[in-house]
Amino acid sequence: MNAIIQCQQLAKRFGSKTVLQQLSFELHQGDVAALIGPNGAGKTTLFSILCGYLPPDSGSARIFGHKAGSSALFGKVAALPQDAQFDPAFSIGEQLDFYGRLQGLSSKAAREESKRVLALVELTEQLQHKAGALSHGMRKRAAIAQAFIGTPQLVLLDEPTAGLDPVNALHIRQLISRLSGEVSFMISSHNIFELEQLCNKVLYLENGQLKQHSGSDNAAQLQYLTLHLEQDNNDAISAALRQLPGLIDLHSAQRRELVLSYNPQHNADFDLAVLQCLAANGWRYRNLTKGQTLEQKLFNPA
Amino acid sequence: MARFITTLKHCGLYAGFELHRLWLTRRGLMTLAATAVLWFFLLRYAIAPASDLIGSEGFQQMFRDAFGAFGLSQLFAWPAPELAIYWILSLMLLPLLCLFFTANQLCSDLERGTLRLLALRSSRLSIVLGRFSGQMLVQSCLILLSLVATLSLAAWREGGLTLAMLNAAAVIAVNLLLVLLPFTALMSCFSAMVRSSRLAVSLAIVSLGLVFVLLSTFVFYFPDFLFLLGYMPGTQVMQLLPMQGWQTLQHALLPLLQTLVLLSSATFLLTRKAL
């Protein structure tokens, strides 16, 4: 499979502070990758290197086989950089038109493209308004819109839903989800729930190092169920569930949440067995999810 | 070749966008208004009265006696005294005004992060050249407007426009643009270095002053290197003052070379800069 992003031994320092250390990873066509890490982990620095805003001190970052920031990537790689603002002197439409023109569109096509991308983020009626007249959330959505001008093959989004209200955050997630087949994404966010919904690959950065680099769950030997109960977990529930055939381990992640690991080769209908066990004992549950949450995988590995 | 064409195309787009900023945004219209007010006062209280004075035989004789040795009596050879005064005033004033007018080529975009959006679509060379070309176009508009006003004043006093006046106006416009080229390119450099246009102006003024003082001191001890002072931006202004006609273009090479060097430096600075 062709790698669209190849980072090899990437390192970056700011003064005496090492921000990225020997970072190596690859992303492939169609991947929707989550970039997670605590504040100061190096996420924005990695984004900046991939966008060509910053040169790495050592190592290489190649996108579609070209050096990050190369002119060959104009129009192919789009991004929502953190805190980038539009020029307040011009309307959103004028600026999107201009970006379209820079990407090689004619005047007329650029105007149509501006309307299209603003419609994607439900801002069509703001075409004539200046950036300064828009709310923070609208400006953010307009900045997301610029990333979809033309036909980008890779979109890098730094905190795409930070500062958006829940409805608009949902729209942005739906947009990413809808486009994820044809476009590859790399998304940095602190919203684990959001990344879990959207991403099939996780890059977990901590102190400039890649702590985990994982794909989607496909282990044949070990699978997980996450059970949310309506009542607090107690010894009786745990004891009953421990009797189920195929169970490998059970632990309580939160007061009403249980994570069960099991071997599907020993019990293919383990989920049904769990539900039958709950029903037989009159214990009510809120939901039963296959797999672990991303939060559990990253911060409470079983 | 394709990259060269794309760079040219992008330069054109950036330059067009700057023209759009001048004519169709509030900030641009304020710039136009400020220029109009400045030139109104210059025309009303400096150029018009001085033209009457220059036109008088007595003043011309006195001036020849006082400054004839410097060649400044050539000023009387301009087809209209208004153009002679415009020539002197603009040669002296515009380089300084240019530092202020063109300081914000990149600063605000750097500060706001808008350059990050632009750098995903065009090279940093295109951004520097495009913004520079845009500023030159904007200054051309302002020069042409003020020249049209000066020509109107001359035509009103003389009772009509002559071909010689139009030719002289063209000479002035071309020379002023040549004089402004290195100053605009200098501001490309400083605006690529800092995130505030005020800081860019301060840096430019301090740097020019410092370089002049250091060079003068150096020349004081090593007089053989006097020629180095001739490479400072704007040094040809003093040589241009007593000249007129297209012969003024004999001083065009130096500002063109200075512009080339300064624009290369600006591109280098922006390319190395973290956005």
Side-chain angles (χ1 to χ4, degrees):
Chain A
M1 208 190 294
N2 286 337
I4 53 172
I5 299 181
Q6 283 177 303
C7 287
Q8 295 288 331
Q9 302 293 308
L10 215 53
K12 183 73 189 175
R13 294 171 69 90
F14 291 115
S16 60
K17 183 172 164 50
T18 302
V19 183
L20 295 178
Q21 299 181 54
Q22 312 305 319
L23 208 66
S24 297
F25 68 90
E26 283 189 359
L27 290 188
H28 297 100
Q29 192 71 45
D31 274 349
V32 179
L35 185 60
I36 306 176
N39 294 332
K43 302 186 297 292
T44 298
T45 303
L46 177 59
F47 259 85
S48 296
I49 290 174
L50 292 176
C51 291
Y53 304 149
L54 268 180
D57 291 339
S58 62
S60 72
R62 300 189 77 78
I63 302 179
F64 297 115
H66 301 281
K67 194 179 159 197
S70 152
S71 58
L73 299 173
F74 295 157
K76 274 187 178 176
V77 177
L80 167 71
Q82 199 179 51
D83 300 329
Q85 304 273 331
F86 285 101
D87 189 332
F90 295 94
S91 72
I92 293 294
E94 284 168 333
Q95 293 184 73
L96 293 179
D97 289 357
F98 181 60
Y99 295 158
R101 297 292 309 277
L102 286 176
Q103 286 181 218
L105 300 176
S106 67
S107 268
K108 199 177 162 195
R111 179 41 52 132
E112 290 306 313
E113 191 63 5
S114 301
K115 288 178 183 167
R116 183 187 73 82
V117 295
L118 282 177
L120 287 178
V121 294
E122 302 186 6
L123 279 182
T124 309
E125 68 282 7
Q126 306 299 332
L127 188 79
Q128 306 294 342
H129 289 142
K130 291 200 166 83
L134 303 185
S135 69
H136 173 78
M138 285 176 166
R139 284 203 297 269
K140 184 74 174 250
R141 279 149 64 199
I144 292 172
Q146 62 78 32
F148 293 103
I149 293 175
T151 49
Q153 292 169 35
L154 170 67
V155 179
L156 306 163
L157 301 169
D158 199 355
E159 303 272 2
T161 56
L164 294 188
D165 61 71
V167 174
N168 281 305
L170 175 67
H171 286 157
I172 298 302
R173 283 198 289 273
Q174 287 172 336
L175 173 67
I176 295 168
S177 180
R178 197 165 68 238
L179 296 174
S180 59
E182 47 206 276
V183 182
S184 301
F185 286 92
M186 187 169 183
I187 304 167
S188 157
S189 174
H190 288 297
N191 186 338
I192 301 267
F193 165 73
E194 170 178 288
L195 295 175
E196 186 168 31
Q197 286 184 316
L198 296 171
C199 304
N200 61 1
K201 199 164 219 172
V202 176
L203 302 171
Y204 182 65
L205 272 183
E206 196 172 340
N207 295 323
Q209 289 178 308
L210 203 54
K211 293 288 181 186
Q212 286 188 43
H213 181 191
S214 59
S216 54
D217 286 338
N218 55 4
Q221 301 298 317
L222 184 66
Q223 286 193 4
Y224 293 90
L225 283 180
T226 303
L227 174 65
H228 289 266
L229 296 163
E230 283 206 343
Q231 62 187 87
D232 285 359
N233 176 35
N234 57 41
D235 291 344
I237 299 174
S238 295
L241 291 173
R242 281 187 198 283
Q243 302 303 315
L244 297 176
L247 184 96
I248 294 172
D249 190 26
L250 177 153
H251 72 271
S252 180
Q254 291 173 36
R255 209 154 46 94
R256 295 184 177 183
E257 186 183 283
L258 286 169
V259 179
L260 302 93
S261 54
Y262 67 99
N263 186 336
Q265 288 171 346
H266 290 172
N267 187 353
D269 295 326
F270 186 79
D271 47 353
L272 284 178
V274 169
L275 291 175
Q276 282 165 354
C277 172
L278 294 174
N281 290 287
W283 296 319
R284 301 181 70 82
Y285 71 100
R286 191 161 289 161
N287 64 51
L288 180 66
T289 315
K290 276 209 161 188
Q292 283 176 294
T293 63
L294 187 55
E295 193 174 46
Q296 287 160 1
K297 278 189 233 172
L298 292 171
F299 307 118
N300 296 308
Chain B
M1 189 62 187
R3 193 178 290 183
F4 176 71
I5 292 170
T6 306
T7 303
L8 278 185
K9 207 184 278 181
H10 283 180
C11 281
L13 285 169
Y14 279 111
F17 207 62
E18 291 309 301
L19 266 190
H20 186 144
R21 191 192 299 277
L22 177 71
W23 292 102
L24 297 172
T25 68
R26 193 182 299 167
R27 199 182 118 203
L29 293 173
M30 288 298 286
T31 305
L32 279 173
T35 310
V37 169
L38 176 72
W39 279 103
F40 169 78
F41 281 108
L42 287 174
L43 287 164
R44 173 72 182 80
Y45 297 106
I47 295 178
S51 304
D52 292 335
L53 189 66
I54 286 179
S56 71
E57 267 303 315
F59 176 81
Q60 289 188 9
Q61 191 53 51
M62 186 194 78
F63 195 85
R64 280 194 188 95
D65 294 343
F67 302 106
F70 302 103
L72 287 177
S73 53
Q74 279 295 310
L75 289 171
F76 302 120
W78 284 89
E82 287 83 358
L83 290 173
I85 303 294
Y86 180 92
W87 175 240
I88 296 170
L89 280 177
S90 50
L91 274 180
M92 306 302 282
L93 275 180
L94 290 193
L96 183 64
L97 291 178
C98 169
L99 297 183
F100 290 89
F101 268 128
T102 64
N104 200 11
Q105 291 178 49
L106 302 163
C107 303
S108 294
D109 283 345
L110 268 172
E111 174 62 21
R112 267 195 313 267
T114 316
L115 270 188
R116 293 189 208 156
L117 303 177
L118 297 172
L120 288 167
R121 299 170 166 92
S122 61
S123 67
R124 300 195 193 189
L125 171 69
S126 306
I127 296 174
V128 169
L129 292 183
R131 285 289 164 85
F132 169 80
S133 314
Q135 291 301 322
M136 288 311 299
L137 268 180
V138 165
Q139 291 180 101
S140 308
C141 288
L142 299 180
I143 287 171
L144 284 177
L145 286 175
S146 58
L147 256 178
V148 166
T150 309
L151 274 176
S152 309
L153 195 69
W156 175 70
R157 195 182 53 79
E158 301 263 345
L161 268 181
T162 63
L163 205 58
M165 281 186 201
L166 289 173
N167 183 52
V171 169
I172 292 174
V174 170
N175 274 288
L176 285 180
L177 287 176
L178 283 168
V179 167
L180 294 183
L181 277 173
F183 287 97
T184 309
L186 184 73
M187 293 320 291
S188 300
C189 284
F190 285 111
S191 66
M193 284 165 66
V194 294
R195 290 170 186 257
S196 145
S197 55
R198 282 185 193 170
L199 189 57
V201 173
S202 306
L203 272 177
I205 292 172
V206 169
S207 307
L208 283 173
L210 201 65
V211 169
F212 183 74
V213 168
L214 289 175
L215 264 183
S216 302
T217 311
F218 181 72
V219 166
F220 179 77
Y221 291 105
F222 304 98
D224 289 347
F225 291 92
L226 180 65
F227 69 92
L228 285 178
L229 281 171
Y231 292 118
M232 290 278 294
T235 41
Q236 84 275 24
V237 165
M238 296 314 285
Q239 293 160 307
L240 284 173
L241 271 176
M243 296 177 80
Q244 60 173 286
W246 293 109
Q247 57 167 324
T248 46
L249 291 185
Q250 62 186 272
H251 294 293
L253 187 62
L254 182 64
L256 287 174
L257 288 176
Q258 287 169 336
T259 305
L260 199 65
V261 171
L262 288 165
L263 282 179
S264 306
S265 308
T267 307
F268 176 76
L269 286 169
L270 190 65
T271 307
R272 305 259 310 164
K273 189 154 187 95
L275 297 183

